Amino acid sequence: MRIINPSFSRCIFILISLLLSLRLFAAEPAPEQIHKTMKTASQFMLEKASYRGGFVWSYLPDFSRQWGELEARRSMIWMQPPGTASVGHLFLDAYHATGDEFYYTAAERVAGAIIYAQHPSGGWNYVADFNGEASLKDWYATIGKSAWRLEEFQHYYGNATFDDVGTAEAAKFLLRLYIEKLDPKYRPALTKAIDFMLDSQYPIGGWPQRFPLMHDHPAKDHADYSSFITFNDDVAAENIDFLLMCYQVLGEARVREPVIRAMNSFLVTQMGQPQPGWALQYTLELVPAGARSYEPKSLHTPTTAENIQQLIKFYRMTGETKFLAPIPAALDWLESLQFATHKPEYEGRSHPSFIELGTNKPLFTHRRGANVSNGEYYVDYTPGNMLAHYKSASIINVAKLRADYQDALALTPDQATANSPLKVMGDIVLPRYFTLDKVSVSDLNFRAQKKPAAKGLAEQAAALVAELNQQGYWPTPLYYTTNPYKGAAPITRATNDYAATMVGDEWDTSPYPVNNPVKGISTGAYIKNMGVLIQYLQQQSAQ
């Protein structure tokens, strides 16, 4: 018989008890731990990662390189989410979750960077450079110009853009910050942003991609597209949403008519039979137009699907059936375009993205060459070998769209508009949290807060507490990188095939995925992780 030493037994018992208590402790971190973790991470982002209160998307740990959509210089800040304004929104969310004035002060630091970056017209460009315009122009002439697939960065306009939500995200943040304490120092920048939205709107209701209008960079086969009426990247939908917030929260009566005009622009831009869809952008004569080299003049099925959803929202805001009337024809058209089979060349997608005007034939975009000097994009009718960065086939759930339409159709106008943001002007409180779920006034959930998912939340929070490193950030794999700029690319034809890759040769500064990512600092991961901790605090306070 084996004899167990009593003292050894006690040690085992104590060890097991300790492990159990640690497991329980890890599964249910105390609010004080969460507060400390949030603040440590936020201090690092603000004091170490940011540049004068502004942010890019990711950084190497030693800050020798950093990236937004492209590689950025240390003096640059990025406006596209998850950039500077996205962090500002997070700071306000953290302020609401904790009541700690540190986060309000942090949000003010972000606001300072955003106001610095604001164009005199009132909007924002993708990026800003604290080293001044000459430095920014040089970046565009080197890194930006060499990004083969990111044509929007290949030349410097010197104006502001609605593309990629940068202007709308910054404007919404300024609105939130102003409303928080009604500090008058933020009202001028906010007013400029509202004026920018109104000044840039065309009489017919749509918006250009960039403003003030410029026509400086035509492509080889069509005019500069930046002045065209734009649906791409939710330009109209985001602008409508911001103006509705101003209507509801500030009592800005002057924005109501522009909102109605913007909603009506969705009606007048729909093409007639036999192609009742929408394009990515239009000339002022309402003719579909091309944009970047891989966005040919065509109708666009994903935009058509998105605009159907917007029309349903507009009915639920106005009760006007004119917004439902165009939907059945558009749904039938989308249904008629579905691929008969999911062959390998369609990569599991259900619809061609681009549809030729007049013929209903699918168009497919491809490229040849290796960089901006010797490469080119082209369009044909042949599927397969699609671009890695911009597929010319999409996944569209027509059945879901049809069900959403039927749900809206079953509502009377009074039922549809029960929670309409157009019914109340002023004296409305903005949602307290923007980071947890994308906040949209036109989603008709303006006053409703989604409850955080409870399952696994404590474990996630505990893991985040444990994973914050000694420097104060969450080490995150940086799955994308870029080739450093190395001068003008050669014009000789490439021998390698870059048709379906994310990046061309070594002269291409476009971002591309890596198999063995280094760990660094991610602004997006910081925002996401902070959101989990805020959810956990909400859950704890509700118990």
Side-chain angles (χ1 to χ4, degrees):
M1 177 182 290
R2 185 175 180 183
I3 305 297
I4 298 177
N5 187 302
S7 61
F8 178 77
S9 178
R10 281 196 299 272
C11 290
I12 293 295
F13 176 80
I14 292 171
L15 179 60
I16 292 172
S17 300
L18 180 61
L19 289 173
L20 288 173
S21 65
L22 286 173
R23 181 179 178 184
L24 179 63
F25 181 72
E28 294 287 343
E32 293 77 16
Q33 283 183 292
I34 302 300
H35 284 280
K36 181 180 178 181
T37 301
M38 290 172 60
K39 197 162 186 176
T40 300
S42 298
Q43 286 173 328
F44 175 88
M45 292 299 292
L46 195 63
E47 296 168 9
K48 302 294 185 181
S50 83
Y51 193 88
R52 299 188 186 180
F55 296 83
V56 294
W57 292 0
S58 60
Y59 311 79
L60 290 183
D62 63 357
F63 299 102
S64 58
R65 298 184 76 188
Q66 49 272 313
W67 295 267
E69 192 165 11
L70 288 172
E71 183 166 6
R73 293 169 177 167
R74 188 67 179 113
S75 57
M76 293 174 64
I77 63 173
W78 223 262
M79 302 310 299
Q80 296 160 278
T84 301
S86 302
V87 178
H89 281 298
L90 183 276
F91 283 150
L92 287 178
D93 288 0
Y95 177 57
H96 293 155
T98 66
D100 189 337
E101 287 292 327
F102 163 80
Y103 294 107
Y104 181 81
T105 302
E108 289 195 295
R109 285 270 302 277
V110 172
I114 287 174
I115 292 171
Y116 170 84
Q118 190 173 27
H119 189 269
S121 63
W124 285 266
N125 187 27
Y126 301 106
V127 296
D129 192 333
F130 277 97
N131 279 349
E133 190 173 32
S135 177
L136 186 59
K137 285 182 177 179
D138 182 71
W139 179 88
Y140 268 95
T142 53
I143 293 173
K145 186 177 181 178
S146 301
W148 183 16
R149 66 179 176 84
L150 292 170
E151 296 176 6
E152 61 270 37
F153 291 105
Q154 290 176 5
H155 36 254
Y156 176 73
Y157 277 98
N159 58 3
T161 182
F162 289 115
D163 193 31
D164 288 344
V165 202
T167 285
E169 185 89 341
K172 288 179 181 180
F173 168 68
L174 287 179
L175 173 62
R176 288 186 74 197
L177 185 63
Y178 171 69
I179 289 298
E180 190 66 42
K181 295 186 179 182
L182 297 179
D183 189 329
K185 68 184 177 187
Y186 299 117
R187 187 62 201 241
L190 175 58
T191 298
K192 279 178 63 176
I194 298 170
D195 291 343
F196 177 78
M197 292 273 188
L198 302 183
D199 293 343
S200 58
Q201 188 181 29
Y202 285 121
I204 202 166
W207 280 274
Q209 188 195 66
R210 304 190 69 97
F211 190 81
L213 299 178
M214 294 185 182
H215 312 277
D216 298 349
H217 299 283
K220 63 181 180 180
D221 57 349
H222 59 266
D224 188 321
Y225 65 89
S226 64
S227 64
F228 294 162
I229 297 170
T230 301
F231 287 114
N232 193 16
D233 285 325
D234 296 324
V235 165
E238 286 289 340
N239 291 353
I240 288 171
D241 202 62
F242 171 67
L243 292 178
L244 282 172
M245 286 183 177
C246 294
Y247 179 74
Q248 286 203 306
V249 178
L250 299 176
E252 285 270 5
R254 63 183 175 132
V255 307
R256 183 184 174 92
E257 186 275 336
V259 166
I260 299 298
R261 214 164 6 108
M263 291 193 290
N264 287 332
S265 73
F266 283 69
L267 299 177
V268 298
T269 50
Q270 185 184 22
M271 302 297 287
Q273 291 286 12
Q275 293 183 295
W278 281 267
L280 281 166
Q281 54 274 317
Y282 296 79
T283 68
L284 296 188
E285 293 75 33
L286 301 187
V287 176
R292 291 174 292 189
S293 300
Y294 41 85
E295 293 169 325
K297 179 179 179 179
S298 62
L299 296 182
H300 193 242
T301 55
T303 296
T304 298
E306 291 162 8
N307 285 4
I308 289 171
Q309 290 284 17
Q310 289 300 318
L311 290 176
I312 292 171
K313 290 181 182 180
F314 299 160
Y315 173 64
R316 293 173 66 92
M317 282 193 282
T318 66
E320 296 183 42
T321 56
K322 68 180 181 181
F323 292 113
L324 296 181
I327 293 177
L331 288 171
D332 291 345
W333 181 68
L334 285 176
E335 205 158 56
S336 73
L337 296 169
Q338 291 182 125
F339 291 131
T341 58
H342 289 267
K343 295 179 180 178
E345 58 263 36
Y346 302 142
E347 299 182 10
R349 288 165 166 80
S350 62
H351 284 73
S353 297
F354 302 107
I355 304 299
E356 188 174 50
L357 292 166
T359 69
N360 254 6
K361 291 181 179 180
L363 298 173
F364 297 92
T365 52
H366 315 279
R367 72 179 184 183
R368 51 187 163 235
N371 53 56
V372 293
S373 295
N374 60 45
E376 65 176 346
Y377 289 88
Y378 63 97
V379 180
D380 62 22
Y381 302 113
T382 306
N385 204 26
M386 284 188 277
L387 302 174
H389 65 86
Y390 202 96
K391 300 296 184 184
S392 44
S394 304
I395 298 174
I396 298 174
N397 191 338
V398 179
K400 174 65 165 55
L401 288 172
R402 200 177 288 279
D404 291 343
Y405 164 71
Q406 291 294 337
D407 289 343
L409 192 63
L411 299 172
T412 67
D414 285 342
Q415 291 171 329
T417 60
N419 296 311
S420 171
L422 287 171
K423 282 191 170 184
V424 183
M425 182 179 70
D427 197 30
I428 293 291
V429 178
L430 281 173
R432 291 177 61 78
Y433 302 103
F434 273 50
T435 301
L436 307 185
D437 299 291
K438 178 176 170 57
V439 173
S440 171
V441 174
S442 57
D443 279 335
L444 305 175
N445 292 319
F446 189 73
R447 298 173 221 174
Q449 292 296 317
K450 294 183 180 179
K451 294 182 179 179
K455 186 177 180 180
L457 197 53
E459 290 80 4
Q460 292 179 59
L464 291 175
V465 170
E467 290 166 5
L468 193 74
N469 67 12
Q470 290 184 342
Q471 287 73 37
Y473 67 89
W474 285 287
T476 305
L478 304 183
Y479 291 103
Y480 278 77
T481 190
T482 58
N483 295 320
Y485 174 71
K486 58 179 297 181
I491 59 174
T492 53
R493 280 287 181 190
T495 55
N496 293 336
D497 182 11
Y498 299 101
T501 61
M502 289 290 285
V503 69
D505 64 15
E506 60 194 291
W507 282 273
D508 183 4
T509 57
S510 304
Y512 63 92
V514 291
N515 293 325
N516 298 301
V518 299
K519 287 193 174 182
I521 303 149
S522 166
T523 304
Y526 162 73
I527 293 171
K528 179 182 177 182
N529 293 344
M530 287 285 286
V532 170
L533 298 180
I534 290 171
Q535 283 185 310
Y536 179 72
L537 289 178
Q538 285 183 289
Q539 183 191 73
Q540 293 295 101
S541 63
Q543 290 177 353

